[in-house]
Amino acid sequence: MTRTRTARAAVVAGAMGVVALAGTGTASAETEVAEPATFTSAFTAMATPDGVVNTDGVPTPGEPGASGSFMYRINSDLEIICYDITLTGVTPPYQSPAKTSTHIHEAAAGESGPPRIALPDPVEDGSGDLVSSGCLQGPFTTGVAPDGTDTGSGFSLAEIEADPSAFATDNHTAAFVAGAVRGQLTQVPIGGIETGAGGTAEDGTSGAPLAALGGSLALAGAAAFGLHRRAVRG
């Protein structure tokens, strides 16, 4: 267990280093922060290669056999997003015009859209998977500015809470520049409380039955979220 905690700590430190390096020459507004005591919402995305589309919205399958588990908890009052990302079967090196290669895009299923948040790229944790965990506080920048304005400029986490299906998360590599894996955000409860509709939930995973979510994707994502957080915390 000590080795697990040490490996996870190294992963987080390394991932934040990626953000710092990738952001060289680009204003990096977001700040690494401690996990807040409460969250206003939580989301999961089970990312797959067949969800990837290119910038024209044309299906462009990613890395065969790869998958990604993306877990996000949000405190929109404080503009903090906490992330737990695990990529399986994704082969670096990463590549993206943004300052990192792991993003949340404003894009509905089957559509392309601009990145709104650039997250630290997952790194090897010793198990064969690539992982990244931590919390960032906005304002957010992505390093992408096609019209001279960064695509993260002015973005609020409340926009995700208002319409999570309008957002996708992905990871890009040199071999699969359009995306190795991609998945749409799906809302899940924290502590058994449906969040994102004005409610606030304490951090925890022992709430009401997750079957109430009504869908195997949400159920699988929420279960993985609880398991992953327990593993990180030892």
Side-chain angles (χ1 to χ4, degrees):
M1 188 61 69
T2 299
R3 287 196 300 273
T4 299
R5 286 196 294 267
T6 301
R8 294 291 184 183
V11 165
V12 174
M16 293 314 302
V18 170
V19 169
L21 290 173
T24 301
T26 303
S28 182
E30 55 278 318
T31 304
E32 181 185 9
V33 296
E35 182 177 299
T38 60
F39 296 92
T40 54
S41 59
F43 304 88
T44 184
M46 307 308 291
T48 58
D50 58 0
V52 177
V53 299
N54 65 18
T55 54
D56 295 320
V58 176
T60 308
E63 184 162 5
S67 64
S69 172
F70 294 77
M71 309 295 172
Y72 298 120
R73 291 173 299 157
I74 287 173
N75 183 318
S76 57
D77 297 326
L78 300 176
E79 288 296 331
I80 292 176
I81 182 168
C82 293
Y83 55 91
D84 284 277
I85 302 169
T86 300
L87 301 179
T88 301
V90 172
T91 307
Y94 299 119
Q95 182 175 317
S96 172
K99 62 184 182 179
T100 72
S101 296
T102 306
H103 314 130
I104 294 178
H105 292 257
E106 186 168 357
E111 298 180 5
S112 64
R116 297 303 187 191
I117 301 176
L119 296 149
D121 292 324
V123 296
E124 171 65 47
D125 71 343
S127 72
D129 290 336
L130 304 170
V131 302
S132 181
S133 300
C135 299
L136 296 176
Q137 183 169 36
F140 302 100
T141 60
T142 66
V144 175
D147 61 357
T149 301
D150 191 281
T151 59
S153 179
F155 178 73
S156 170
L157 295 172
E159 296 177 50
I160 295 177
E161 294 181 327
D163 188 7
S165 66
F167 291 86
T169 189
D170 63 7
N171 175 267
H172 305 260
T173 65
F176 298 93
V177 178
V181 293
R182 168 179 155 154
Q184 297 300 126
L185 298 192
T186 299
Q187 189 167 358
V188 296
I190 295 181
I193 301 174
E194 283 291 351
T195 56
T200 299
E202 295 291 337
D203 182 19
T205 58
S206 58
L210 295 177
L213 289 173
S216 58
L217 175 63
L219 177 60
F225 176 84
L227 289 172
H228 190 63
R229 293 307 302 177
R230 285 194 288 273
V232 170
R233 293 180 180 182

